[in-house]
């Protein structure tokens, strides 16, 4: 799962580095992205990572799964060194070590357990959250530069976080029929599409760093809280401090790695205008 998201981050960040055009809110952005090979390969990796994450959410708490998804950026950094000849500063080596330590702490503290069901009230809450995120996105898209990247990236993270919350109980569906008729299935799909669009728009604002950091922070924290409070996510007794430390260290390392990754992505890709990349972005 982490490796799949790492490949997705790399390929879609390369695509984003080739995009300099700013546009207003436009759902057709996803259709235009579909015409770009690099983006499609990255999207395929992301879908593979999503399937693995979905299966992991059946028994594992969201604080572990969401942190692991964000940790894909560490794989991106390693792939950047091996494939794109990025330089690996000493600070980035330290961040990679911290990332490994944080994930290890989460693995040791996470206690597998089946999810509780959200019920009708939970589904309605996710539907309301979808509407709020979409409305805020209409206003946030008017922002440009780093503020636009942060605002849209944060909203994308909230959309992906909501999708993760829907996926946790959905993964325990007893049959294919129960899976398909569950409202959470459709909420998961729509939240994912909205998140994809918002993150693509965030990348247009010119700061991959701001967009990814905002997405990772906004995506991991709410899902972890909801999982612990409502979905029966468990921590081994006496290891609560380890889970908290692991989560914070992982998130800090991911945000730190984003700072080093973006300048190297832009140096590794020759600037050019690709007609298929008009309005392109990157997904999370």
């Amino acid at each position: 799962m982490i490796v799949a998201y790492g490949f997705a981050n790399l390929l879609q960040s390369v695509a984003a580095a080739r995009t300099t055009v700013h546009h207003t809110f436009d759902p057709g952005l996803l259709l235009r992205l579909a015409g770009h090979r690099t983006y499609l390969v990255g999207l395929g990796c992301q879908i593979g990572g999503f399937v693995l994450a979905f299966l992991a959410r059946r028994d594992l708490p969201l604080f572990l799964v969401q942190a692991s998804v964000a940790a894909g950026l560490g794989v991106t950094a390693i792939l950047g060194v091996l494939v794109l000849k990025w330089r690996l500063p000493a600070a980035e080596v330290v961040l990679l070590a911290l990332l490994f330590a944080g994930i290890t702490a989460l693995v040791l503290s996470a206690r597998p357990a089946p999810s509780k069901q959200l019920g009708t009230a939970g589904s309605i809450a996710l539907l309301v959250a979808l509407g709020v995120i979409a409305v805020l996105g209409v206003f946030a898209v008017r922002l440009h530069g780093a503020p636009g990247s942060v605002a849209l990236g944060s909203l994308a993270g909230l959309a992906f976080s909501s999708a993760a919350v829907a996926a946790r109980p959905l993964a325990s569906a007893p049959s294919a029929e129960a899976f398909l008729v569950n409202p959470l299935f459709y909420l998961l799909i729509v939240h994912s599409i909205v998140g994809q669009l918002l993150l693509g728009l965030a990348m247009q604002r010119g700061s991959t760093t701001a967009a990814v950091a905002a997405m990772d922070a906004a995506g991991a924290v709410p899902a972890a809280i909801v999982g612990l409070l409502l979905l029966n996510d468990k921590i081994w007794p006496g290891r609560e401090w380890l889970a908290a430390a692991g989560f914070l260290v992982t998130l800090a390392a991911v945000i730190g790695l984003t700072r080093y990754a973006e300048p190297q992505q832009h140096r590794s890709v020759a600037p050019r205008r690709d007609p298929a990349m008009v309005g392109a972005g990157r997904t999370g």
Side-chain angles (χ1 to χ4, degrees), residues 14-274:
V14 168
R18 296 173 177 172
T19 306
T20 57
V21 180
H22 292 185
H23 286 277
T24 57
F25 188 82
D26 180 11
L29 167 65
L30 297 179
L31 295 177
R32 291 194 293 273
L33 284 172
H36 193 275
R37 183 183 304 173
T38 303
Y39 181 85
L40 287 178
V41 175
L43 182 61
C45 293
Q46 183 184 350
I47 291 173
F50 173 83
V51 172
L52 293 173
F54 180 84
L55 295 175
R57 291 184 185 109
R58 180 182 180 91
D59 295 307
L60 297 178
L62 288 178
F63 67 80
L64 172 58
V65 179
Q66 295 309 106
S68 298
V69 169
L73 192 62
V75 176
T76 301
I78 295 173
L79 290 173
V81 172
L82 298 177
V83 178
L84 298 180
K85 308 303 181 185
W86 291 355
R87 297 178 59 188
L88 198 63
E92 190 165 353
V93 174
V94 173
L95 287 171
L96 286 172
L98 288 174
L99 182 63
F100 177 78
I103 292 296
T104 300
L106 290 174
V107 170
L108 293 175
S109 61
R111 181 179 178 183
S115 173
K116 290 181 179 178
Q117 294 301 310
L118 280 175
T120 303
S123 297
I124 293 175
L126 287 175
L127 183 61
V128 171
L130 177 64
V132 171
I133 291 169
V135 170
L136 291 176
V138 172
F139 290 98
V141 78
R142 301 175 184 177
L143 301 173
H144 297 282
S149 293
V150 170
L152 289 165
S154 297
L155 290 173
L158 291 176
F160 289 130
S161 183
S162 298
V165 169
R168 173 85 161 106
L170 184 62
S172 299
S175 66
E177 181 180 358
F179 182 89
L180 293 175
V181 300
N182 195 323
L184 293 176
F185 172 65
Y186 301 98
L187 285 168
L188 184 154
I189 292 175
V190 178
H191 270 289
S192 297
I193 292 174
V194 170
Q196 199 94 337
L197 174 60
L198 287 168
L199 191 56
L201 291 168
M203 289 295 174
Q204 286 187 309
R205 270 61 198 163
S207 176
T208 301
T209 295
V212 174
M215 180 195 70
D216 287 335
V221 176
I225 294 173
V226 172
L228 289 169
L229 294 179
L230 301 178
L231 298 180
N232 198 41
D233 286 3
K234 299 289 187 181
I235 300 173
W236 289 109
R239 299 183 185 178
E240 292 82 2
W241 67 271
L242 186 62
F247 188 81
L248 292 175
V249 168
T250 299
L251 196 59
V254 167
I255 294 174
L257 284 170
T258 315
R259 174 183 178 85
Y260 287 98
E262 183 187 21
Q264 298 188 74
Q265 290 162 3
H266 283 277
R267 286 196 298 268
S268 301
V269 181
R272 66 183 179 88
R273 178 171 299 203
D274 189 332

